[in-house]
Amino acid sequence: MVNDSHAEVIARRAFLRYLYSELKEAYSRRKSEIFTSADSTHNKCRLKPGVQFHLFSSHTPCGDASIFPKDAIPGEEELDWDSFSWQYGRKRKSDTESDLKPKCLKVEECLTSSDYKSPNSDLLNLQEGLHSNCPKQSEHCVSDLVLSPKETSTEKVTKSDSDNIKTDGEGTESSKYSESSDHFTNAACLICNKHSKDDEHLQVTKCTKENVPFTETKGQQPQSDIFRTGAKPVAGGGEDPLGEGAGYHSVGLFRIKPGRGERTLSMSCSDKMARWNVLGCQGACLCHFLQAPVYFSSIIIGRCPFSQEAMTRAVITRSSGVKDLPDGFHITHPAILQSNKTFVDGKASVEKNSTGRVVPSSASIIWFNSMETPEVINEGKPQGLTKKDYLKNPEKARSKICSREIFHCFMDLVKFVQIENFPHLKSSNVTHNSSYFDWKMTSKDYQQSWQILGAHYGSWSQKPRDLLKFTCDVKSK
């Protein structure tokens, strides 16, 4: 089951499946589109020169990035920004005791390592930018979505055959999925870019102090209210004042993801993206095969209430001051951009054609480059399956992007390459029968980096370890 179905998380999980398929190509001595062959010293792969990854989300991430002043920008009156309050949250009528006290664990004290080297903040050359991604247009596609040209002050980024970069993403999850006018969706995708001087160019607004869409402009009077998030602060990490207007939230806090129903242990998308920005988006297990973490070169947000200051604070600034990270790990500075294209299945668009109440869809459409047909999941489980199906055949009842299925991809690659061929694992106790948790803990540099970063953050919601101690229950293909 997929517990966190927000668009950014769905896209990142599909991206992991894509990375595993490309690593299999690299270790098979076939040509991977993005990875070099494994080196002779550590038997690990690295990204080819010029390969970059770009994260697109049709909406501002939930959590800290969603807290900023409500700005009425002249010329944007056709959009009712208050209609986006589902994303930013409303004050609940009442909170149960369990809501007010989510379960969480304090992160252990940090370790130290080699001296931290300041990263180069200019990670993205906007003159060479994004590569088009679509199953019918490119083999470098991870997901499929939409940006469009803009005539105002812009930076150029590359594109291929069409005027739009496509992606599928969905409702509180991912994909352009909507069965009726009563449901709306969010979209997120990951785009692989291989630089080409012959590519055409697509214009995407680059947010600057002089040109920031949907944020405070020079000469405006301070606003008396802010966009709010439904994400609640992690216990022990600070509290919201819950005052009137701009005094409702504290910024910079780490938060539990908002949502309907029982309180979750999942961190908000803003917090997860902050973590990816230091540890990489590949996670702990993939570090066994990679020479360095995989980072985003840019984060692109669709046309919606947006603040570059809030995005920068949430994703980058909150990690400032972290040092002594192991080699390869560092704070990155992705370009933060905004598209001028409104997502056609988003709430603002759907509300225009609907007379009834509009609510987020609970379904997601998932696709990655090595996937033959898209998968639809509903509330974290494959759509169309009954409880009887789950009990009769648990393997087929899992989403292809759930933790267990991704771990199967990992173990399949481990068995293919063989443990004895990894020098860094010769002194470890992991075997083919070791659990997901054990393999994660064996990724020493990643775990050391997370301890350092977690100590800097102060508090983080942790899932019980027992939920991670599952093993691979399918035979390798």
Side-chain angles (χ1 to χ4, degrees):
M1 180 173 179
V2 179
N3 290 312
D4 186 347
S5 294
H6 281 211
E8 299 89 336
V9 176
I10 292 288
R12 183 254 180 182
R13 283 177 171 270
F15 180 57
L16 294 183
R17 291 293 307 255
Y18 169 73
L19 292 181
Y20 277 113
S21 66
E22 286 296 312
L23 281 169
K24 188 71 173 289
E25 293 294 309
Y27 280 107
S28 300
R29 303 297 179 183
R30 295 191 291 267
K31 185 178 180 181
S32 165
E33 294 291 345
I34 62 173
F35 290 119
T36 63
S37 299
D39 69 318
S40 58
T41 304
H42 301 99
N43 198 27
K44 293 186 177 184
C45 301
R46 61 180 174 82
L47 290 175
K48 291 181 177 179
V51 173
Q52 296 178 332
F53 298 106
H54 308 273
L55 174 65
F56 177 95
S57 176
S58 65
H59 210 287
T60 306
C62 66
D64 194 56
S66 294
I67 305 173
F68 51 88
K70 291 184 176 180
D71 300 310
I73 303 298
E76 301 295 340
E77 293 82 357
E78 73 279 5
L79 279 180
D80 175 15
W81 296 133
D82 287 334
S83 71
F84 287 87
S85 59
W86 69 271
Q87 169 78 13
Y88 300 98
R90 291 187 177 95
K91 184 185 290 188
R92 296 184 180 182
K93 293 182 179 179
S94 63
D95 285 317
T96 63
E97 183 177 349
S98 61
D99 283 337
L100 297 174
K101 297 180 180 179
K103 297 178 181 179
C104 71
L105 299 175
K106 282 277 190 171
V107 182
E108 299 294 333
E109 292 298 320
C110 68
L111 304 175
T112 58
S113 181
S114 57
D115 292 337
Y116 168 70
K117 296 181 180 180
S118 299
N120 182 356
S121 62
D122 186 18
L123 293 179
L124 176 64
N125 183 343
L126 291 171
Q127 296 300 323
E128 294 184 348
L130 302 174
H131 189 79
S132 177
N133 294 269
C134 174
K136 296 181 180 180
Q137 294 178 354
S138 170
E139 295 181 354
H140 315 311
C141 182
V142 177
S143 204
D144 176 19
L145 180 4
V146 188
L147 300 178
S148 72
K150 182 165 183 174
E151 299 299 328
T152 59
S153 175
T154 58
E155 293 285 349
K156 290 184 177 180
V157 285
T158 62
K159 86 176 188 70
S160 64
D161 300 329
S162 67
D163 292 333
N164 294 323
I165 294 178
K166 296 182 179 179
T167 161
D168 54 342
E170 197 281 324
T172 338
E173 292 99 320
S174 81
S175 151
K176 298 191 295 182
Y177 175 81
S178 181
E179 292 185 340
S180 74
S181 61
D182 292 331
H183 290 81
F184 67 93
T185 62
N186 275 353
C189 75
L190 281 152
I191 299 169
C192 171
N193 175 44
K194 297 183 72 175
H195 293 312
S196 172
K197 294 182 179 180
D198 297 326
D199 286 340
E200 298 177 46
H201 289 83
L202 172 73
Q203 295 181 322
V204 175
T205 301
K206 180 181 180 181
C207 302
T208 65
K209 291 183 179 180
E210 294 76 22
N211 176 28
V212 183
F214 318 123
T215 57
E216 187 171 355
T217 58
K218 193 172 183 180
Q220 264 193 312
Q221 294 297 320
Q223 300 298 310
S224 59
D225 201 1
I226 58 173
F227 283 110
R228 299 178 183 180
T229 179
K232 304 293 184 182
V234 175
E239 298 179 356
D240 286 321
L242 304 182
E244 295 298 324
Y248 189 82
H249 280 310
S250 294
V251 298
L253 300 184
F254 291 86
R255 298 173 178 273
I256 301 296
K257 189 176 292 292
R260 295 166 289 180
E262 187 177 348
R263 190 72 178 274
T264 177
L265 293 177
S266 297
M267 297 297 291
S268 72
C269 290
S270 293
D271 302 331
K272 290 186 176 183
M273 290 170 68
R275 175 173 165 168
W276 301 340
N277 199 51
V278 180
L279 304 184
C281 59
Q282 77 293 322
C285 288
L286 271 171
C287 287
H288 290 298
F289 305 103
L290 299 175
Q291 296 179 30
V294 176
Y295 295 108
F296 297 134
S297 292
S298 70
I299 299 172
I300 305 165
I301 305 299
R303 187 168 183 262
C304 65
F306 171 86
S307 166
Q308 187 180 20
E309 179 182 356
M311 278 291 297
T312 302
R313 176 190 70 228
V315 177
I316 303 174
T317 309
R318 290 191 295 174
S319 302
S320 296
V322 173
K323 55 185 179 179
D324 297 325
L325 294 168
D327 290 343
F329 293 89
H330 55 268
I331 303 170
T332 56
H333 293 73
I336 296 178
L337 310 171
Q338 185 178 31
S339 168
N340 71 317
K341 186 74 172 180
T342 302
F343 182 49
V344 294
D345 289 319
K347 183 169 185 178
S349 299
V350 173
E351 280 187 327
K352 291 181 179 180
N353 301 314
S354 176
T355 57
R357 180 171 175 262
V358 178
V359 297
S361 172
S362 60
S364 305
I365 296 179
I366 301 160
W367 183 86
F368 47 88
N369 198 35
S370 58
M371 191 175 187
E372 293 183 0
T373 58
E375 176 187 52
V376 179
I377 62 174
N378 198 337
E379 296 183 347
K381 294 171 284 190
Q383 183 169 281
L385 297 181
T386 65
K387 186 176 182 180
K388 184 178 180 180
D389 295 325
Y390 297 137
L391 297 175
K392 185 178 180 180
N393 197 334
E395 293 179 16
K396 292 186 178 180
R398 299 176 190 142
S399 167
K400 292 179 174 60
I401 62 167
C402 73
S403 295
R404 190 180 289 268
E405 288 298 310
I406 292 176
F407 182 54
H408 290 166
C409 292
F410 169 78
M411 288 306 304
D412 186 54
L413 191 56
V414 167
K415 292 172 183 177
F416 180 80
V417 183
Q418 299 182 354
I419 295 178
E420 55 270 22
N421 292 327
F422 288 105
H424 73 285
L425 293 177
K426 288 184 177 179
S427 60
S428 69
N429 296 320
V430 290
T431 68
H432 293 160
N433 297 320
S434 295
S435 70
Y436 174 60
F437 176 81
D438 293 333
W439 276 102
K440 284 169 66 74
M441 292 300 104
T442 308
S443 185
K444 299 299 183 182
D445 285 349
Y446 182 93
Q447 296 301 334
Q448 183 179 348
S449 298
W450 174 222
Q451 283 192 302
I452 295 171
L453 183 63
H456 176 80
Y457 287 165
S459 59
W460 190 276
S461 174
Q462 301 283 349
K463 293 181 175 66
R465 288 187 177 182
D466 289 345
L467 296 180
L468 305 177
K469 291 186 176 180
F470 55 83
T471 58
C472 184
D473 58 3
V474 296
K475 296 180 180 180
S476 60
K477 298 178 182 179

